[in-house]
Amino acid sequence: MRGGAASSAPSQPSYGLNRPREGEKTLPKARADLSGVYWPGTRGQFGWRADDFSALQFLPVLRSGLIRLFFTTLLFVAAALLFAHPLLLISSVSRRLQEGSFPRSAGLRAAALALAGEDIYAADRPNELSPTVRNFPSRVYVPNSESASVDVIDPTTYKVVDHFAVGRLPQHIVPSYDLKTLYVLDDQGYALSKINPATAKLEGNVSVDDPYNLYFTPDGTEAIVVAEALHRLDFRDAQTMKMKFPLTVPCDGPNHLDYSDDGRYFIVSCEFDGKLIKVDTASRKILGVRQLDRPAMPQDVRLSPDAKVFYVADMAANGVHEIDGDQFQVVGFLKTGKGTHGLLVSRDSKLMYISNRGEGSISVMDLAQRKIIAKWKLPHGGSPDMGGISADGKVLWLSGRYNSEVYAIDVDTGKLLARIPVGKGPHGLCVYPQPGRYSLGHTGLFR
């Protein structure tokens, strides 16, 4: 019993429900009808005293009470889970944001959606110039690395119409994300010299570390300075160029990159050790490293119009690697020519022009078939490097890296239209303006 003296009376089956002996204490009434179990000396929920029941009468009541207790417990658990579910969801979203699974801003999400589609170059059609650049004079800007200067060519006359000194080693000329500025990248001089494309004149400079190449995130908020000698990708404010986050990369000689169609990640080529690296745009974290088969010296990177394949030019392998970006796997290779270097997509998104710097030729790829269909050889040779396509899509412009010249090539016939003398070591020339809503960087990566 639960209180009082022990009883010496003969025992009888009671299942703990004997009447209390005189002087015994009973459980307080507060213990009555707890989950349908009736305690001695108390009244249940129907007004009966628990000790009015025989043992056999109590068993069904006990069973019924236990069942009610079980289902009540289930209801409490279900309610707790329903209450906790939104908190769990919020926790999951927070974790994904911290891990960078989601873009870090609404702008980046919108830009990523704008990148996606059947043809990522749909905004680059002939003469579809943005209102921002529509009244800019048409020019070809040529950085001469070895003579530390820029030559400006009028494409209608094939003549140099201006020339100015720039820093110590200008490498590429890059349109800003908003299309309003051209940056001359002086990697040894640690500076970006600004050209106003409305006047084709220099207008000051900005100090940055080792700017070998330059790109912009899809939302335009950040610039990515490819600091090749420092083994870094420097994420900077796209307007002020103030450092936000330096990312050290596990490769030698990072130089070119391109984005996935949704902007979630980009793939970078590393020239001096034959590697590719994959980087998450939002979190700025390295997602993978891929060693290409040797010999390898990867250069320009360009996503196919249907966004299924990244093409990577390889100067040592003399061809173009085909990369599945999502899986980050090599899925093919196309032989092109000696010293494969630059990649440019035609204005109708049907062809890719591939410069073979080591043999003075341009290979033409059918992008739908992923097949080389032609090769144009420059008369008397040359060293075609980086370049761009005229706004109307009719002329391919390429620098002649080791010949101090620029080539203008008819894309319908493959014939050389002009060979224009410029300074020493012409490199990443920029044809400007070009069609496109915004610039993702390099000498003309427009969307």
Side-chain angles (χ1 to χ4, degrees):
M1 301 298 293
R2 289 184 178 270
S7 172
S8 60
S11 62
Q12 54 182 339
S14 65
Y15 299 95
L17 296 176
N18 292 357
R19 289 181 181 272
R21 298 175 66 86
E22 186 174 350
E24 276 188 331
K25 295 180 181 179
T26 61
L27 290 176
K29 186 160 176 127
R31 296 292 298 273
D33 35 64
L34 178 62
S35 300
V37 179
Y38 303 96
W39 298 90
T42 64
R43 291 189 179 273
Q45 60 184 356
F46 298 108
W48 301 316
R49 288 179 57 88
D51 39 11
D52 289 336
F53 289 88
S54 69
L56 292 178
Q57 287 173 317
F58 180 72
L59 283 176
V61 176
L62 179 62
R63 185 165 54 249
S64 174
L66 289 174
I67 291 172
R68 268 200 309 277
L69 177 62
F70 174 75
F71 280 107
T72 301
T73 303
L74 280 181
L75 285 173
F76 273 110
V77 171
L81 288 174
L82 286 171
F83 176 78
H85 179 70
L87 297 178
L88 292 172
L89 178 60
I90 293 170
S91 175
S92 173
V93 170
S94 299
R95 184 171 61 255
R96 290 182 68 187
L97 283 169
Q98 291 171 356
E99 295 171 353
S101 297
F102 293 153
R104 59 180 170 274
S105 70
L108 186 51
R109 284 194 293 272
L113 289 174
L115 279 170
E118 293 183 1
D119 182 356
I120 62 171
Y121 303 112
D124 300 353
R125 295 295 180 254
N127 295 317
E128 291 190 4
L129 297 176
S130 162
T132 302
V133 305
R134 194 166 292 155
N135 296 320
F136 291 172
S138 180
R139 295 290 185 263
V140 178
Y141 299 87
V142 186
N144 304 306
S145 297
E146 294 179 33
S147 57
S149 65
V150 171
D151 285 318
V152 183
I153 298 172
D154 182 337
T156 62
T157 64
Y158 305 115
K159 301 292 186 182
V160 174
V161 296
D162 203 357
H163 171 92
F164 38 81
V166 177
R168 294 174 55 189
L169 190 70
Q171 297 283 7
H172 301 90
I173 296 182
V174 177
S176 62
Y177 180 88
D178 63 10
L179 310 177
K180 296 179 181 179
T181 304
L182 298 177
Y183 291 106
V184 184
L185 311 185
D186 177 15
D187 65 343
Q188 286 191 3
Y190 274 40
L192 303 176
S193 296
K194 296 191 289 185
I195 297 175
N196 181 350
T199 63
K201 299 294 183 181
L202 279 175
E203 292 188 354
N205 57 67
V206 180
S207 295
V208 299
D209 297 341
D210 187 25
Y212 176 80
N213 218 332
L214 175 65
Y215 294 85
F216 299 93
T217 55
D219 64 350
T221 60
E222 293 183 345
I224 302 176
V225 174
V226 181
E228 183 182 61
L230 300 177
H231 306 91
R232 288 197 327 237
L233 299 175
D234 289 343
F235 290 78
R236 295 175 175 270
D237 183 281
Q239 297 299 319
T240 65
M241 292 296 165
K242 183 178 179 181
M243 178 75 82
K244 296 178 74 173
F245 183 79
L247 175 65
T248 300
V249 295
C251 69
D252 191 8
N255 52 26
H256 299 86
L257 66 87
D258 200 0
Y259 291 89
S260 61
D261 63 333
D262 58 11
R264 287 184 302 110
Y265 65 85
F266 55 89
I267 292 177
V268 185
S269 61
C270 299
E271 179 175 1
F272 302 129
D273 59 6
K275 292 178 182 177
L276 303 176
I277 61 174
K278 182 177 177 180
V279 181
D280 185 282
T281 307
S283 68
R284 310 181 187 116
K285 292 181 179 179
I286 294 172
L287 301 175
V289 179
R290 169 65 56 187
Q291 176 67 59
L292 297 172
D293 290 341
R294 299 182 185 278
M297 188 177 283
Q299 304 293 315
D300 207 2
V301 181
R302 195 61 55 105
L303 184 62
S304 63
D306 62 7
K308 293 181 179 179
V309 178
F310 283 83
Y311 293 103
V312 180
D314 193 320
M315 253 171 55
N318 302 321
V320 177
H321 300 281
E322 297 174 304
I323 309 295
D324 180 325
D326 289 347
Q327 300 300 317
F328 202 37
Q329 297 287 338
V330 178
V331 295
F333 181 80
L334 298 170
K335 276 282 186 181
T336 58
K338 186 177 180 182
T340 310
H341 198 77
L343 306 174
L344 291 165
V345 175
S346 64
R347 291 270 172 247
D348 60 7
S349 299
K350 293 181 179 179
L351 303 174
M352 178 177 282
Y353 306 113
I354 305 162
S355 62
N356 303 309
R357 194 172 75 183
E359 66 177 36
S361 72
I362 295 91
S363 295
V364 182
M365 181 199 301
D366 183 310
L367 286 164
Q369 299 182 58
R370 287 159 62 175
K371 180 181 178 181
I372 303 299
I373 59 173
K375 181 181 283 190
W376 304 330
K377 293 187 176 181
L378 295 173
H380 314 295
S383 51
D385 196 283
M386 293 294 177
I389 299 173
S390 61
D392 62 10
K394 296 180 179 180
V395 181
L396 172 65
W397 291 85
L398 296 169
S399 60
R401 186 73 174 272
Y402 304 127
N403 297 81
S404 300
E405 56 193 10
V406 167
Y407 314 111
I409 301 162
D410 186 312
V411 299
D412 289 329
T413 65
K415 291 183 178 180
L416 182 66
L417 297 173
R419 189 188 295 260
I420 306 163
V422 293
K424 293 181 180 180
H427 191 187
L429 70 75
C430 179
V431 178
Y432 208 71
Q434 291 189 49
R437 296 167 297 169
Y438 49 86
S439 164
L440 290 178
H442 193 38
T443 61
L445 188 57
F446 297 97
R447 296 285 195 269

